[in-house]
Amino acid sequence: MSAQGVAVLLSWLSCCGWALWRYSTNTKNYLIFSTRSTIKLEYEGTLFSEWKVPKTCSVKNKRSPRTEMHCSSPGFQNIKPIVTGPDLEEERYLYVASSNICFMWYYKIINISPNFIQVIIWIYDPEHASPNELLWNTTKPSLNSAILSKQMATLGQRPVIYTFLRRKVYFPFIRLKNGAWVIAVPITTDDVLQEIKGNNVAFQDCFIADSLLPLILPWFTIPETPGFLPISSPQGSQLISNWDACAPASVVVVADVETFQTNDSFHTWTRIRVPTGSLTDNERHSVSDVTLTEDGIFFLIHGVLYVRSLTAFTRLGKKENLPEGDIIGITTRKWCWIKYLMKAKRRSSMAIWTKQELYLGYTSLKFSKITSTNKLQKILNISSAATLTIHNVEYTGHPLELALLLNYCVQCNVIKKIYLVIYNEDKQDWTYQDFALDVTVDSFISLHFLYSAMPELILWDKKKIYYCYHNFTDTGVLQMPAEFGIVSRNSNIHDVYIDYYGNIVVKMENNVMFYFKINIRDAVKLHLWTNNTTKSFILLNISGYMYLLHVFKNGTIYPQDYPLTLELQSITFKTKEKCPFVAFHYNIFKVFYILDKGQNLSIWSRIVYPENMVLYIIVELYGPKILEMREQVQYEITLGYCTKTMTLTFFQNINYEAVEDYFNLQYQNTGLLLLQVRPSQYGKTCPIPPKVFQIAVGCDNSKYIVVKGFNNKECLPHDFFYIIEKSFLRNQPSENLRVKYSWKKYGCPLRLDFREKFQPLIQLYDDSGFIEDVEVNFIVWEIHGRNDYSFNNTMKKSGCLNEAQTWKSMTKLNKDLPLEAVWGPENYKHCFSYAIGKPGDLNQPYEIINKSNYNHLIWPLRHTGMYVFRVKILDPNYSFCNLTAIFAIEIYGLIPSPNGYLVFSFLFLLMLLFFSILIFSYFHYMRIYKQYIYEPIYKTERKQKNY
């Protein structure tokens, strides 16, 4: 529509009311929009006459503002309402596809425990589903869906759940029951993106569309408490919203009537209210900003920060190391990085700032002051005579960085400069960016960083959009259509929406929207979708699609799916804009790769484009220079199309053996890089999202080692005590050592005869399972100090040219360190060179083991004993991780030789007891003997004679 037409339309709407029309289908998120779909048309206004549709489409009732339409032929269909009055209603070119995908998966998630969920799945036909299924308000299939699911099941259909990040597969644990399948899925924060897929089975030539299943993480929901009062923004203000970066379905929205919270993209929601007396009436209706973290909902009111948790509403201040007032802004991260490598101890979850100070917030309501403008003036070498204040703060696309916009001026009367610095939380340093923007002193600049490797961002004030692409090398003002100038005179920019697919939507306060894409320098106006009296906000729903949240004056809300792809197709069909390339492919399936020592990463990307174009593949790296890159490009032309394939290999070529400072060298060569692979040109119609991923160089915390052959199911789980004789201990203590054997720590011991040798075989695992057998050198030691074991190989037999390192020599060199720290990859030196080490006795046991040197543990003393060993990887070029494992061995054989003093004492006591019994027996029997010798055995009773 021309600028003159828009001006006439706006003037007409201002006097006669707002008019627009929309469309919808029975399919959630407009996933099926085909010749089989029922397209519902809706006109909002008072001057409607009838619908104008092409001959290939039929309308149920042309003269009804709300009707249904079916199109028999695929392609772009010109739809337009005819009105009484100026014929200025917008026409749309709706693309109706021809597809054999007719059915969809319906799923219902049930939380059965904090760690597991049950997903109930069935098949439904959107054209014949029940009303509850269309609203996603049911827990069981309708009759039609149950019959359809049973029919498809007999044909071999069965759903499975695939995860994108960890590439796991989960199957139904029972057959179809009551028309539905049930799949149990574990809840893990690093694997929340999932998809429901089925077999390639058709019913009446119709297939089932794969469905995204992003898991809703367990998140707090603040209940509505009777008697509590509403908290809101000032009357007449626009909506304020915030959401968790890794759980976009968890949102808080502040309107001028209420505050709302949801955990499922407003399918269900609650009102957030505060206790009576906690705020004055003026404070309750003065929320200027809001953020959402796992600690609660944070409100900024009159320069003071408050937090609403599940149980309390708290004012934050000096006790939490925050200012009592003067806070001008709060923010949280916009992009989700579930995995990242961080050498520092913690990462912030929110930023708080005043004009002079920046604070970062962490979990459990911990806050820390990071910097002040006085420090920044010194870092940036700015004159103290100038005025420097913090203008705005925003987290970047990097998982460990945030950016500050700084106001700089000397006179500060008319114009001020906006500078930008970036703070890295891991390195704790500031980087000044080559960026400067002149604005009036009363201007306020908002910003969002794009989902990209290099720092790229969009800035805006009330009337303009600024772009900064390719690490600040390409900057300017976004070219807007003529309609924008006319609309902006009657409205201001409310917000800018950016998603992971590179889509950028500018929303005005009167709900007019404009669209452009990442790396694009001009925008187009989208069709009207919402009237100018409804407060609305653009959000990202559970499935990653855009939707509009409408908040009404009566305190109710209404979420509405928005068909951004269809709307864009309608606009670009009219402008004839096309994507400059035909296809762009790559083999990058993860967003996080971690490289250990000796590992490399190879990726490829391919672009296909018409031969009259000049396109190429751009690889952008952002981060420390710790990797080398090898590049190979192949080029071919076929049938008027060019194909370029780029293969990149990233690797590190550093020898960590026998260096002066092993740990410092490791620290210098570990870190996090962001990479982006993209075409050199882009267009609004290009469907390929920007591919951004991380390469972390360092320790993969999911890796661990185990000793093969140990099974914790082979013994009865129980703890017990045993004694180690002091003569068997390394430090020769004065007393025997009593040890508690912990089954949980040590597992089941391996029982060996004292004549059996044992060679530990080390295996490397991660969260996904077995990786490899470890073939590099490692060492073992008994953790309780036993040294009554040895090794069957000598240094000479192992091929040493100089004396090898041993536990005895290493403990002598590192007397002040504990046993586990005296020897490791940081100080390992091999013995296979005359230049390393010194000559010595090569007949000593060689105490280093690997898979191929046939070095075994032997037991010189032929007695029963319990040994608990720890194993450590010794090779300095194997891993950044300190890989250790514990295993226990129980030796059975001869009974241990008793202690001489103990034997003597026992014999002495035994002899003493023996002689005591003899003496006691002698006197006992002597008493009996005397009694029977000197006294008669029988006494004669005599009768006395009576006289």
Side-chain angles (χ1 to χ4, degrees):
M1 187 181 297
S2 66
Q4 181 181 1
V6 173
V8 174
L9 175 61
L10 290 175
S11 62
W12 176 62
L13 292 175
S14 63
C15 65
C16 304
W18 190 276
L20 54 89
W21 68 278
R22 293 181 290 261
Y23 55 93
S24 62
T25 66
N26 291 333
T27 309
K28 193 176 181 181
N29 300 316
Y30 297 82
L31 293 180
I32 300 178
F33 201 85
S34 66
T35 54
R36 193 176 181 272
S37 302
T38 299
I39 302 172
K40 300 175 183 179
L41 303 177
E42 174 189 358
Y43 180 85
E44 185 176 320
T46 59
L47 303 176
F48 177 79
S49 177
E50 65 177 28
W51 293 100
K52 179 183 177 181
V53 299
K55 294 181 180 179
T56 55
C57 298
S58 60
V59 178
K60 190 174 183 180
N61 185 357
K62 277 191 174 184
R63 297 188 178 277
S64 173
R66 294 173 180 265
T67 188
E68 295 179 356
M69 179 182 73
H70 288 85
C71 294
S72 58
S73 298
F76 286 93
Q77 311 294 339
N78 187 355
I79 314 297
K80 179 181 179 180
I82 300 175
V83 298
T84 57
D87 190 14
L88 295 174
E89 293 298 335
E90 293 180 306
E91 61 182 0
R92 282 184 171 92
Y93 294 89
L94 299 184
Y95 182 74
V96 179
S98 177
S99 174
N100 288 330
I101 295 179
C102 314
F103 309 135
M104 298 189 67
W105 296 107
Y106 188 102
Y107 58 87
K108 184 69 176 180
I109 298 176
I110 300 175
N111 291 321
I112 58 175
S113 73
N115 300 320
F116 275 88
I117 61 169
Q118 277 189 354
V119 185
I120 303 173
I121 303 173
W122 65 86
I123 306 167
Y124 79 104
D125 182 356
E127 299 302 315
H128 301 91
S130 68
N132 286 333
E133 284 178 321
L134 295 179
L135 294 174
W136 286 70
N137 285 334
T138 184
T139 59
K140 60 181 181 179
S142 63
L143 179 60
N144 286 340
S145 297
I147 294 173
L148 178 61
S149 299
K150 290 178 182 179
Q151 181 64 42
M152 295 289 281
T154 58
L155 297 175
Q157 186 59 264
R158 186 180 68 157
V160 294
I161 295 178
Y162 288 81
T163 67
F164 285 96
L165 300 179
R166 299 181 65 181
R167 310 188 77 79
K168 299 282 188 179
V169 183
Y170 301 101
F171 298 91
F173 58 87
I174 57 173
R175 294 184 178 181
L176 185 72
K177 184 178 181 180
N178 298 325
W181 292 271
V182 179
I183 302 179
V185 180
I187 299 175
T188 54
T189 56
D190 60 346
D191 208 17
V192 295
L193 297 178
Q194 307 189 0
E195 186 177 28
I196 303 175
K197 289 187 174 183
N199 298 325
N200 193 19
V201 174
F203 177 66
Q204 295 180 352
D205 296 328
C206 282
F207 294 88
I208 307 172
D210 296 337
S211 299
L212 289 175
L213 178 70
L215 296 183
I216 301 175
L217 298 177
W219 198 264
F220 68 92
T221 300
I222 298 175
E224 296 185 20
T225 305
F228 279 22
L229 300 176
I231 184 171
S232 67
S233 57
Q235 187 65 34
S237 60
Q238 294 293 317
L239 300 181
I240 308 170
S241 180
N242 188 259
W243 59 92
D244 184 81
C246 293
S250 298
V251 188
V252 58
V253 171
V254 180
D256 58 0
V257 289
E258 288 275 4
T259 296
F260 308 94
Q261 183 197 8
T262 182
N263 287 327
D264 54 9
S265 298
F266 286 100
H267 183 67
T268 60
W269 47 274
T270 59
R271 293 180 177 90
I272 304 301
R273 297 190 170 187
V274 297
T276 304
S278 58
L279 295 171
T280 66
D281 290 343
N282 178 264
E283 289 172 334
R284 283 195 302 106
H285 301 296
S286 300
V287 176
S288 58
D289 210 344
V290 66
T291 63
L292 177 68
T293 74
E294 61 184 52
D295 289 320
I297 301 173
F298 294 83
F299 297 95
L300 181 58
I301 304 172
H302 291 169
V304 179
L305 195 61
Y306 298 83
V307 60
R308 178 71 165 93
S309 64
L310 282 171
T311 58
F313 181 71
T314 308
R315 175 176 174 145
L316 304 178
K318 291 182 179 179
K319 183 180 178 182
E320 291 79 18
N321 196 29
L322 284 174
E324 295 284 353
D326 300 325
I327 298 175
I328 60 174
I330 53 177
T331 190
T332 54
R333 300 182 187 275
K334 297 298 186 293
W335 303 112
C336 177
W337 295 104
I338 296 174
K339 283 189 174 183
Y340 51 87
L341 179 68
M342 187 173 185
K343 293 185 281 187
K345 293 183 178 179
R346 56 182 182 174
R347 187 181 78 145
S348 65
S349 57
M350 66 182 298
I352 308 104
W353 66 96
T354 66
K355 287 185 177 182
Q356 285 79 30
E357 297 172 331
L358 171 68
Y359 298 81
L360 292 183
Y362 307 90
T363 56
S364 302
L365 297 181
K366 304 295 183 181
F367 300 92
S368 176
K369 181 180 175 181
I370 300 301
T371 191
S372 65
T373 51
N374 291 333
K375 293 181 180 179
L376 290 174
Q377 278 184 314
K378 296 177 182 178
I379 293 173
L380 303 176
N381 197 22
I382 293 176
S383 171
S384 59
T387 300
L388 187 70
T389 58
I390 299 175
H391 183 85
N392 206 344
V393 178
E394 186 64 276
Y395 284 96
T396 72
H398 193 285
L400 304 175
E401 292 184 348
L402 72 155
L404 272 67
L405 287 183
L406 300 174
N407 291 324
Y408 171 80
C409 57
V410 179
Q411 297 295 331
C412 300
N413 294 326
V414 181
I415 299 296
K416 63 181 178 182
K417 280 188 178 292
I418 301 290
Y419 290 126
L420 189 141
V421 293
I422 291 180
Y423 176 69
N424 187 293
E425 293 189 60
D426 201 18
K427 297 186 292 183
Q428 298 182 0
D429 64 356
W430 295 90
T431 305
Y432 173 72
Q433 302 298 323
D434 186 14
F435 170 83
L437 183 65
D438 292 330
V439 297
T440 58
V441 292
D442 60 344
S443 296
F444 182 77
I445 303 297
S446 301
L447 72 161
H448 282 334
F449 278 82
L450 305 180
Y451 184 62
S452 59
M454 294 288 187
E456 299 182 338
L457 64 151
I458 299 297
L459 307 97
W460 69 94
D461 55 20
K462 292 182 178 180
K463 304 295 182 182
K464 289 182 181 179
I465 304 286
Y466 306 89
Y467 62 84
C468 296
Y469 297 145
H470 310 151
N471 199 18
F472 302 97
T473 60
D474 184 4
T475 61
V477 179
L478 189 73
Q479 297 298 309
M480 304 296 290
E483 295 96 321
F484 180 79
I486 301 169
V487 172
S488 64
R489 285 199 293 268
N490 300 286
S491 184
N492 297 320
I493 297 174
H494 175 208
D495 193 28
V496 175
Y497 164 86
I498 305 174
D499 66 11
Y500 289 92
Y501 305 99
N503 298 309
I504 305 175
V505 178
V506 180
K507 179 193 168 296
M508 308 297 289
E509 291 180 355
N510 61 359
N511 295 326
V512 176
M513 295 188 293
F514 298 86
Y515 173 88
F516 64 108
K517 210 155 192 173
I518 185 172
N519 298 321
I520 302 296
R521 298 160 186 82
D522 63 289
V524 295
K525 178 181 174 296
L526 296 172
H527 300 298
L528 296 174
W529 193 265
T530 306
N531 64 59
N532 65 342
T533 61
T534 302
K535 299 288 180 65
S536 64
F537 204 90
I538 303 174
L539 295 168
L540 195 69
N541 68 12
I542 294 177
S543 301
Y545 297 98
M546 173 178 164
Y547 74 100
L548 294 172
L549 180 71
H550 306 294
V551 179
F552 302 103
K553 293 181 179 179
N554 61 359
T556 60
I557 58 178
Y558 172 63
Q560 185 179 37
D561 291 338
Y562 181 77
L564 180 59
T565 301
L566 290 171
E567 291 290 272
L568 182 61
Q569 287 176 340
S570 176
I571 297 295
T572 54
F573 177 80
K574 193 173 182 178
T575 59
K576 308 298 181 184
E577 183 175 345
K578 294 184 179 180
C579 184
F581 54 87
V582 177
F584 184 73
H585 301 288
Y586 42 73
N587 70 333
I588 306 166
F589 303 111
K590 298 180 181 179
V591 294
F592 181 80
Y593 295 88
I594 185 163
L595 297 184
D596 211 336
K597 293 175 182 177
Q599 293 182 331
N600 59 57
L601 174 66
S602 293
I603 62 171
W604 62 261
S605 59
R606 179 178 298 141
I607 186 170
V608 181
Y609 57 94
E611 62 178 342
N612 60 342
M613 303 286 291
V614 180
L615 272 72
Y616 49 92
I617 300 171
I618 295 178
V619 179
E620 295 176 332
L621 287 84
Y622 181 72
K625 296 180 180 180
I626 55 178
L627 285 178
E628 298 181 43
M629 183 177 71
R630 187 166 51 244
E631 178 182 322
Q632 183 180 2
V633 179
Q634 295 179 344
Y635 179 81
E636 64 180 65
I637 301 178
T638 305
L639 300 175
Y641 290 95
C642 301
T643 301
K644 285 183 181 177
T645 304
M646 176 185 288
T647 302
L648 299 172
T649 302
F650 300 93
F651 61 95
Q652 193 177 79
N653 189 18
I654 298 173
N655 186 8
Y656 293 91
E657 185 174 345
V659 296
E660 291 185 3
D661 194 337
Y662 171 82
F663 293 111
N664 185 52
L665 185 63
Q666 278 199 146
Y667 187 86
Q668 293 175 354
N669 289 282
T670 56
L672 183 67
L673 291 89
L674 259 64
L675 279 82
Q676 183 171 353
V677 181
R678 63 176 180 85
S680 58
Q681 294 184 32
Y682 220 71
K684 300 182 188 70
T685 59
C686 295
I688 306 299
K691 188 60 184 180
V692 183
F693 62 101
Q694 301 177 60
I695 298 182
V697 181
C699 173
D700 184 356
N701 291 325
S702 67
K703 283 185 177 180
Y704 61 96
I705 58 173
V706 299
V707 181
K708 185 178 179 180
F710 289 81
N711 189 339
N712 288 343
K713 298 180 180 179
E714 293 180 354
C715 66
L716 180 65
H718 71 288
D719 296 346
F720 56 89
F721 291 89
Y722 63 93
I723 303 296
I724 302 177
E725 189 180 325
K726 58 184 178 181
S727 61
F728 300 155
L729 294 172
R730 188 182 302 272
N731 297 326
Q732 295 295 313
S734 58
E735 296 182 354
N736 296 337
L737 180 65
R738 186 171 185 262
V739 177
K740 179 182 179 181
Y741 187 92
S742 173
W743 181 89
K744 187 175 181 180
K745 291 181 180 179
Y746 309 144
C748 289
L750 179 67
R751 300 190 76 244
L752 295 175
D753 186 87
F754 70 91
R755 291 163 293 190
E756 292 183 68
K757 298 182 294 185
F758 178 72
Q759 183 185 30
L761 176 61
I762 311 302
Q763 295 181 322
L764 182 67
Y765 284 79
D766 64 9
D767 290 345
S768 300
F770 174 78
I771 300 177
E772 63 181 7
D773 289 335
V774 177
E775 298 185 355
V776 300
N777 292 340
F778 60 89
I779 51 176
V780 299
W781 70 96
E782 214 282 335
I783 65 173
H784 298 120
R786 296 190 75 144
N787 65 349
D788 56 330
Y789 61 92
S790 187
F791 301 84
N792 68 316
N793 277 3
T794 63
M795 298 178 187
K796 184 176 181 179
K797 184 178 179 182
S798 299
C800 289
L801 301 177
N802 275 325
E803 185 175 334
Q805 293 173 322
T806 62
W807 280 107
K808 183 178 180 180
S809 64
M810 297 307 292
T811 51
K812 187 176 181 180
L813 288 173
N814 303 280
K815 296 179 180 179
D816 298 331
L817 296 178
L819 183 63
E820 60 270 14
V822 300
W823 195 8
E826 67 276 8
N827 56 13
Y828 167 68
K829 294 180 182 179
H830 65 77
C831 62
F832 306 108
S833 171
Y834 288 112
I836 300 175
K838 59 183 180 180
D841 182 11
L842 300 185
N843 293 317
Q844 298 180 69
Y846 185 63
E847 299 181 353
I848 300 171
I849 309 174
N850 61 45
K851 183 180 178 182
S852 58
N853 70 355
Y854 301 105
N855 199 10
H856 293 71
L857 291 169
I858 57 176
W859 327 102
L861 300 176
R862 302 180 178 184
H863 59 74
T864 298
M866 179 69 72
Y867 299 81
V868 180
F869 289 100
R870 185 180 294 275
V871 57
K872 179 197 286 189
I873 301 297
L874 191 61
D875 193 324
N877 290 313
Y878 184 70
S879 177
F880 288 105
C881 302
N882 182 26
L883 296 173
T884 65
I886 287 182
F887 65 98
I889 294 179
E890 182 183 2
I891 302 300
Y892 60 91
L894 300 179
I895 298 175
S897 301
N899 185 281
Y901 294 104
L902 182 64
V903 173
F904 177 79
S905 301
F906 178 76
L907 291 177
F908 175 77
L909 292 174
L910 189 62
M911 293 299 294
L912 181 63
L913 178 63
F914 176 72
F915 284 112
S916 299
I917 293 174
L918 284 179
I919 294 171
F920 174 78
S921 300
Y922 171 76
F923 286 105
H924 177 70
Y925 285 105
M926 283 297 295
R927 183 177 62 83
I928 296 174
Y929 178 75
K930 288 179 180 180
Q931 179 180 0
Y932 288 100
I933 289 296
Y934 296 103
E935 296 180 6
I937 298 176
Y938 299 102
K939 291 182 179 181
T940 305
E941 293 184 0
R942 295 182 180 181
K943 235 181 204 183
Q944 291 184 356
K945 192 174 179 181
N946 295 324
Y947 294 97

